[in-house]
């Protein structure tokens, strides 16, 4: 990453979803990307990828883009599709619960 900070992780909602899917599913319980969640996501990336966590972030983020998805192994694409479907189902359930 820039300025020789290869362990720096810029966390947004997309990176949070990657962390939920690949590193710690319990992060899904968070309602929003708070400073505590932000720090936890960065720590998870650093624990998994060490001093190259920033580079891992960039590669995983790019893999989420439709332009690169076809280059991923089938099992990884399937896992991503399943996670998105489960995420949509959870959101629909939450919306229905709030509407009651």
């Amino acid at each position: 990453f820039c300025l020789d900070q290869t362990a720096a992780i810029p966390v947004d909602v997309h990176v949070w979803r990657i962390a939920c899917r690949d590193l710690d599913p319990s992060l899904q319980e968070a309602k929003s990307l708070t400073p505590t969640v932000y720090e936890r996501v960065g720590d998870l990336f650093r624990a998994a990828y060490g001093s190259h966590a920033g580079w891992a972030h960039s590669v995983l983020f790019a893999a989420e883009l439709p332009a690169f998805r076809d280059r991923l192994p089938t099992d990884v694409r399937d896992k991503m599709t399943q996670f998105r479907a489960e995420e949509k189902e959870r959101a629909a359930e939450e919306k229905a619960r709030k509407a009651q």
Side-chain angles (χ1 to χ4, degrees), residues 1-19:
F1 247 138
C2 70
L3 301 174
D4 291 328
Q5 299 300 311
T6 58
I9 308 296
V11 180
D12 64 3
V13 69
H14 304 291
V15 175
W16 173 54
R17 287 180 183 142
I18 292 167

Side-chain angles (χ1 to χ4, degrees), residues 27-46:
L27 284 170
Q28 294 173 1
E29 297 169 13
K31 300 290 184 197
S32 64
L33 190 55
T34 65
T36 301
V37 173
Y38 188 102
E39 185 174 339
R40 175 79 177 127
V41 170
D43 290 345
L44 286 166
F45 268 81
R46 285 183 285 277

Side-chain angles (χ1 to χ4, degrees), residues 1 6 8-10 14-15 18 21-22 45 49 52-69 71-73 76 80:
F1 247 138
T6 58
I9 308 296
H14 304 291
V15 175
I18 292 167
R21 184 189 68 222
D22 297 340
F45 268 81
Y49 305 109
H52 297 291
W55 288 108
H57 153 273
S58 295
V59 170
L60 292 168
F61 183 84
E64 296 285 317
L65 300 173
F68 295 102
R69 196 166 294 140
R71 297 178 184 187
L72 297 172
V76 173
M80 291 167 69

